[in-house]
Amino acid sequence: GLRTLYGIRRDGAGDIGSLVRAKRRQDNLTQAETSALCNVGARFLSELENGKQTLELGKVLQVLSGLGLEISIAPRRWSNRS
């Protein structure tokens, strides 16, 4: 099954891309089918799944929505430093 992403690190694009790829495969969809379903280009979807850092946020959200995924944002919990 899919894991829950509790925190996005500095390389968070890779985390999101991995989750998108896992969900696409869980749904037995090809990249071509998924890009058509989400109304984005196949190249965009490939770049997203491969963790490209500079993708358009609106399109990323479009893919997440199309795959039935959502993203949430919360304040960062800073570790206590002595």
Side-chain angles (χ1 to χ4, degrees), residues 8-75:
I8 302 251
R9 298 179 306 276
R10 197 166 148 171
D11 63 341
D15 296 333
I16 293 171
S18 294
L19 288 170
V20 166
R21 178 181 284 124
K23 179 67 163 97
R24 175 179 63 77
R25 288 180 174 169
Q26 181 181 334
D27 292 348
N28 295 312
L29 295 169
T30 65
Q31 282 188 336
E33 291 167 335
T34 304
S35 61
L37 173 73
C38 299
N39 199 27
V40 297
R43 180 177 173 177
F44 177 88
L45 183 63
S46 175
E47 290 174 342
L48 172 59
E49 288 188 358
N50 286 301
K52 184 175 179 181
Q53 299 283 324
T54 57
L55 295 175
E56 183 181 328
L57 179 59
K59 287 185 178 181
V60 172
L61 296 175
Q62 194 172 311
V63 171
L64 293 175
S65 177
L67 289 173
L69 299 171
E70 61 183 26
I71 193 166
S72 63
I73 297 173

